[in-house]
Structure formats: structure tokens, C-alpha cells
Amino acid sequence: TETHHRVKNNLQLMAAMVNLMAMEERPVDSREELNHLSTHIRGLAVIHDLLTEDVKARKDGTHLSVKAVLGKLLPLMQQTYADRPIHFQVHDIPLPARHCTSLAVITNELVSNALKYSTQEVLVAFTVDDGTACLRVEDKGKGFPENFDPVRDGNTGLNLVTNLSEHDLSGQVLFDNHEQGGARIRLSFPVTAAPSG
């Protein structure tokens, strides 16, 4: 039931993303947009595959391992961008399937943007400390312009990141530049322990 519910919701999410892209008044590189959507769809397929395996293996199939999900998603993205290194470090924690799906969609979007706007490596870190999870994505590109506002200045993807961060994860996301240059995005959100048994 949970698997089918998430599949339905995420197909609706994909349809909404396509509609938002269609409404944007900007030149469209069809090949780039199709590659972007393809990566999203394959990323969601990984999540559903893991969720299905988890349901079969456990009585509590409502939680997923962040390390298992991102550990499959990021290498998949690396295959798509073979010439661009993606370095990642992921601490493990079980999250509700809905939260893990949102985290994967956010990660997918942020890493895709970093690869699009930077010509060098991308760094991804997921850590958990004292009940707070933090996802950090950094690149070595030009960084964000001064006074950057993701709602005002961002694209469909960054608006999606902000909405999922705030509404699905009850978290907050910060967009800034790190000291060595390049963009840095930090998402933090509260986490609770998965039920035992």
C-alpha cells in the first residue's frame, strides 16, 4: 500500500515538474531537459525499488535507509555525468519513506544544478547530529550572485527544493557561497528515531 501510494504521488510530482518547465518563459534545450527528467525518474525508480525490498524484508516497511537510497542514487548520477566527479559521504539513519523520497528528490535536483553550473567536482555530505539532519551540496563554480533569492531568482528545481524542504521535511534550506568560491546549499531538518521491531 505504501509503495503504491508513493508511486502515485511521485508520478504526480513528475507531471507537475513537466508542467512547470513548460510554463517557464525561457529558451529550452530539449536534450538537456530530457536528460534532467530522465535522471529524476531513474532516481525515483531507485527509491521505489528500495521501498519494495524493505516492505518484503521487514514488518515495518515505512522507513528507508538514507545510506541505501543515496548510495544508489549518487552513483547513478555519476554514470550520467561520467566526466564530472561526485564525492559523497553519507551517514546512515532510517527515515520515513515520504521523507526519504523528498530527500532523494532534493539531492537529485541540487547535484544536477551543481553539475550544470560548475565544471569541476561536486561534494555531497549527509550528516546527523543531535536530532538534526544536514544535507550539504557544494560545487566549484561561480557561486550564487549577491542577495540571491531562490524564489525570486531560482528556477523550477530550486523552487521545488525549497518547497519540499519546508513542507515535507519541516526544515530550512540556505543558499550561499563557500569561502573557496562556488555555491553551497545546506538543508537542515529534524529527525526522530525509527520505531523498533
Side-chain angles (χ1 to χ4, degrees):
T1 302
E2 176 71 12
T3 301
H4 291 305
H5 179 69
R6 296 310 303 164
V7 169
K8 181 192 75 171
N9 285 355
N10 287 317
L11 287 174
Q12 291 173 341
L13 172 63
M14 294 306 305
M17 289 182 66
V18 172
N19 290 339
L20 286 170
M21 288 179 177
M23 290 189 302
E24 286 186 345
E25 296 181 3
R26 60 183 175 87
V28 175
D29 179 339
S30 297
R31 183 183 300 265
E32 180 180 325
E33 296 295 350
L34 287 173
N35 285 339
H36 191 63
L37 285 172
S38 174
T39 304
H40 273 295
I41 292 167
R42 286 186 292 161
L44 291 172
V46 166
I47 298 164
H48 293 308
D49 185 45
L50 287 167
L51 180 57
T52 303
E53 290 175 7
D54 201 51
V55 168
K56 290 177 182 175
R58 300 174 54 194
K59 291 179 180 178
D60 170 31
T62 63
H63 285 70
L64 290 176
S65 158
V66 170
K67 193 167 189 174
V69 172
L70 297 188
K72 283 194 175 182
L73 175 64
L74 292 168
L76 175 68
M77 298 187 76
Q78 181 68 84
Q79 291 173 14
T80 305
Y81 300 91
D83 59 332
R84 307 286 302 288
I86 302 173
H87 302 291
F88 59 93
Q89 179 180 12
V90 178
H91 292 181
D92 199 16
I93 186 173
L95 286 181
R98 176 181 174 182
H99 293 172
C100 212
T101 302
S102 296
L103 179 65
V105 171
I106 290 168
T107 303
N108 195 7
E109 188 60 44
L110 293 179
V111 172
S112 294
N113 270 358
L115 291 165
K116 181 177 179 180
Y117 293 107
S118 171
T119 58
Q120 300 181 49
E121 65 188 9
V122 173
L123 308 175
V124 182
F126 179 80
T127 57
V128 181
D129 184 37
D130 197 25
T132 300
C134 181
L135 173 70
R136 189 178 80 250
V137 178
E138 298 181 1
D139 65 47
K140 297 187 176 180
K142 295 179 180 178
F144 294 110
E146 192 173 348
N147 299 318
F148 176 78
D149 181 335
V151 175
R152 183 190 66 226
D153 306 322
N155 55 26
T156 303
L158 292 187
N159 286 328
L160 175 68
V161 165
T162 301
N163 287 332
L164 288 177
S165 298
E166 294 175 355
H167 299 296
D168 274 21
L169 299 176
S170 301
Q172 66 175 41
V173 60
L174 300 175
F175 299 84
D176 66 359
N177 299 318
H178 54 80
E179 297 76 13
Q180 293 79 25
R184 174 175 57 192
I185 303 97
R186 289 171 289 180
L187 161 65
S188 59
F189 60 96
V191 292
T192 55
S196 57

